Amino acid sequence: MKLISFKHSFIALGALLSLASCDNAEKLEVKGDGVVLEKDFYKTEKDAYSGLIAAYDKLGKYAGAMENAPLLLLNSASDDFYAGGGNNADQPGLQVMNNYTVSPTNIPPAVWANYFQGVARCNIMVVKLPGIDMDAAKKARFMAEVKALRAYYYFDLVRLFGNVPLRLTPYTREEIAITVQATPAMVYAQIEKDLNDAIADLPVTLASDELGRFTKGAATALLGKVYLYDNKKPEAAAELAKVNGTPGSTSSFGYKLLDKFADLWNHKNKFNTESIFEISYSSEGNTTWNNFEKDGDDEGNLVSQLSGMRNYKRTAAGITAGMPDYINGWGFMVVTDDLANALKTDPRFASTIFDAAAEVAAKHITYDPSYQETGYHFIKYSPLNSDIGTSEGALNFGVNTYIIRLADTYLMEAEALGGTGPRAQALLDAVRGRVGLTPIPVSIPAILAERRLELAGEGHRWYDLVRTGEAASKLAFKGFMAGKNELWPIPYSEFNNTKMVQNPLYN
């Protein structure tokens, strides 16, 4: 199963995939096969496989959407990036996250809806799989995958929105009206249960046509991360140690740091030894402006296009100097001076940030400034013109995104160990040593500083600031309010006919 192509997946229409969806609940649209009743589906292994693909499909929204892409929203809300774009009204959802004027009425509602649609697709599979006539081992694996996926979706939901409904079976129409929220502790307990249930039946390795699916190592890494956020540090350290093995060596799961940091950002170097969980995107999808952001059709990485420099052009001197042939992008995710200065003397700068202002001064390039332009642009996911695939190339970049990679789990384990001791030191040293940096004494501040530099732009920084209590001070310049902005507002549209309550200070 290649998850870079979702065009053969089914799409449940109105099958209560989000809390606000309750029409046509018995119908399923199967692409190419018309419409069938849900009671007539989920009979065969082929049906189960279609349901599994549909459960995975919502992963693609992470970087495969416009202003509702979590990666863009998280970066825009952090101290590492400005939203950018053409002006202060360009993709307004990103702008309100950037300046902390976000409210229940202006937050992109698809963020909440996409995650809950993912949960609902997993719930359907959990209910339907036991009754499907298929190979028992394969059925167990499918069940493990949908439980791991449900854990993934709920982990982001609880981190972003706090008190969220916890649902483990499909909603009926009548149950919508009595929907209430669970406490974060209840959600974390279920996430941990799902992952612990899933790990035993997941494979250690994947066949070439299965890349992108959950493995035992990916679920173990996610469980370790969940334990860390749930403040269960001994449990986190134990799970992450299974993933990491001996720092700098190949782990029992086959993970190993790449020798060169820059190789992580060679977009052809997919599913490498450092990649633990990775979302696939396609450059040969069928996405056009006519079906853009419709389920099953949006297969490209939109962050690649959105974060590209506006009207970027190389001069003759720039071509001679070897300037990259970047696409003309839309100018979002402008790097802040603070991040640029933190990385300026770091070996990872060249693979993370493009100093566009310096290259303009050298007469190597020209480009149009973005809103809140600093002269620095994010390039980890930047495509070249040679990466353009289909005729609607802007919507179909096949640039994968990392959700968890080994350097991340090294640093999480070091943190879970309390930032002290020889193993924590070895984990930190391995991350720094890979880029030629000398050892520094391990500590929690040193680990968190290393996370910022190593993982810049990969969607971790905002979460790190919030969970460590640094958000109020680090994000004050953007308008962050303590006691409020640690959680995002629940979209206003989700309160129709439910008993949910809004997060504090957003009413």
Side-chain angles (χ1 to χ4, degrees):
M1 175 173 109
K2 289 188 178 180
L3 295 182
I4 56 175
S5 177
F6 297 111
K7 61 186 177 183
H8 298 301
S9 67
F10 84 88
I11 300 171
L13 295 180
L16 302 179
L17 295 185
S18 69
L19 297 183
S21 300
C22 56
D23 296 328
N24 303 317
E26 295 182 348
K27 292 183 179 179
L28 293 169
E29 179 187 353
V30 183
K31 291 206 158 189
D33 297 322
V35 176
V36 298
L37 294 178
E38 182 182 341
K39 66 182 179 64
D40 296 326
F41 204 67
Y42 304 105
K43 302 292 187 184
T44 67
E45 184 176 311
K46 180 180 178 182
D47 297 342
Y49 184 74
S50 293
L52 179 67
I53 294 287
Y56 272 104
D57 190 55
K58 286 298 175 180
L59 290 177
K61 295 295 185 182
Y62 183 69
M66 199 73 81
E67 66 176 350
N68 54 41
L71 179 58
L72 285 169
L73 291 164
L74 289 164
N75 283 338
S76 296
S78 78
D79 57 341
D80 288 347
F81 296 92
Y82 296 114
N87 53 54
N88 64 1
D90 197 354
Q91 298 302 315
L94 299 180
Q95 304 300 337
V96 298
M97 294 303 302
N98 176 65
N99 59 26
Y100 284 93
T101 58
V102 62
S103 74
T105 57
N106 64 22
I107 186 172
V111 180
W112 170 284
N114 284 334
Y115 279 118
F116 270 111
Q117 286 167 14
V119 167
R121 294 179 184 191
C122 293
N123 287 344
I124 291 170
M125 286 287 284
V126 168
V127 170
K128 297 292 186 179
L129 261 174
I132 297 177
D133 183 16
M134 60 184 290
D135 175 77
K138 188 173 289 187
K139 182 187 290 190
R141 178 184 175 184
F142 282 16
M143 182 66 81
E145 288 181 82
V146 294
K147 285 188 174 182
L149 282 166
R150 183 168 67 182
Y152 170 86
Y153 293 133
Y154 263 126
F155 185 43
D156 276 6
L157 281 165
V158 74
R159 290 189 294 167
L160 294 174
F161 297 103
N163 298 297
V164 298
L166 180 61
R167 186 73 189 189
L168 306 179
T169 57
Y171 276 92
T172 65
R173 193 185 307 271
E174 293 73 25
E175 287 172 323
I176 294 292
I178 58 173
T179 297
V180 295
Q181 291 136 297
T183 64
M186 294 168 63
V187 178
Y188 271 103
Q190 183 59 47
I191 293 169
E192 291 159 16
K193 181 180 186 305
D194 273 346
L195 289 169
N196 277 303
D197 288 349
I199 287 169
D201 291 316
L202 290 169
V204 174
T205 58
L206 298 171
S208 61
D209 61 347
E210 297 177 330
L211 298 176
R213 291 169 67 171
F214 259 103
T215 61
K216 198 179 296 289
T220 303
L222 181 57
L223 178 60
K225 184 171 184 175
V226 169
Y227 279 143
L228 181 64
Y229 276 71
D230 199 18
N231 202 31
K232 296 178 178 178
K233 292 182 179 178
E235 294 91 336
E239 295 302 319
L240 293 166
K242 297 175 187 176
V243 174
N244 295 335
T246 302
S249 300
T250 302
S251 77
S252 62
F253 288 120
Y255 303 130
K256 187 179 187 301
L257 292 178
L258 294 184
D259 291 338
K260 297 179 180 178
F261 182 78
D263 288 346
L264 286 162
W265 315 110
N266 177 344
H267 303 147
K268 293 180 171 45
N269 194 16
K270 300 179 180 183
F271 301 107
N272 55 67
T273 61
E274 189 166 338
S275 176
I276 296 173
F277 194 47
E278 180 173 332
I279 298 178
S280 296
Y281 296 94
S282 175
S283 61
E284 302 301 328
N286 57 1
T287 316
T288 68
W289 288 108
N290 293 326
N291 64 9
F292 177 55
E293 290 202 295
K294 292 182 180 178
D295 279 320
D297 287 320
D298 49 348
E299 300 172 16
N301 185 332
L302 261 294
V303 169
S304 293
Q305 177 68 31
L306 284 153
S307 61
M309 287 166 278
R310 298 164 62 85
N311 289 320
Y312 173 89
K313 293 183 179 66
R314 299 180 297 171
T315 65
I319 294 172
T320 301
M323 289 295 101
D325 187 23
Y326 290 131
I327 62 158
N328 293 328
W330 298 336
F332 291 88
M333 278 173 58
V334 174
V335 176
T336 62
D337 287 319
D338 191 51
L339 176 61
N341 290 334
L343 268 169
K344 208 77 174 255
T345 59
D346 191 284
R348 290 164 287 203
F349 182 95
S351 295
T352 306
I353 297 173
F354 185 72
D355 190 345
E359 300 305 338
V360 167
K363 300 189 185 313
H364 287 161
I365 65 163
T366 61
Y367 75 103
D368 293 343
S370 295
Y371 173 60
Q372 295 185 303
E373 179 68 39
T374 62
Y376 299 110
H377 286 264
F378 179 62
I379 55 171
K380 281 183 175 178
Y381 298 125
S382 292
L384 305 176
N385 280 306
S386 59
D387 294 318
I388 295 175
T390 64
S391 58
E392 294 287 1
L395 307 179
N396 289 288
F397 282 110
V399 179
N400 288 7
T401 56
Y402 300 111
I403 298 300
I404 306 177
R405 59 183 177 87
L406 194 59
D408 180 14
T409 58
Y410 273 21
L411 295 172
M412 285 194 291
E413 186 191 344
E415 182 182 345
L417 290 168
T420 187
R423 181 164 173 87
Q425 183 71 63
L427 290 160
L428 177 62
D429 289 349
V431 175
R432 291 176 57 83
R434 188 255 297 273
V435 294
L437 293 173
T438 57
I440 58 174
V442 68
S443 66
I444 294 297
I447 292 165
L448 295 175
E450 202 65 34
R451 286 185 62 80
R452 185 188 193 189
L453 304 182
E454 174 73 23
L455 303 169
E458 297 176 52
H460 303 286
R461 176 65 174 175
W462 185 84
Y463 287 129
D464 284 350
L465 291 177
V466 169
R467 69 185 178 83
T468 59
E470 292 190 291
S473 60
K474 297 290 187 181
L475 295 170
F477 76 105
K478 284 192 166 188
F480 184 99
M481 180 185 296
K484 175 183 180 179
N485 295 128
E486 290 87 355
L487 297 176
W488 294 1
I490 300 169
Y492 178 78
S493 58
E494 296 297 334
F495 288 89
N496 294 333
N497 301 316
T498 75
K499 293 186 176 181
M500 294 196 303
V501 296
Q502 184 57 267
N503 283 326
L505 303 181
Y506 282 112
N507 289 311

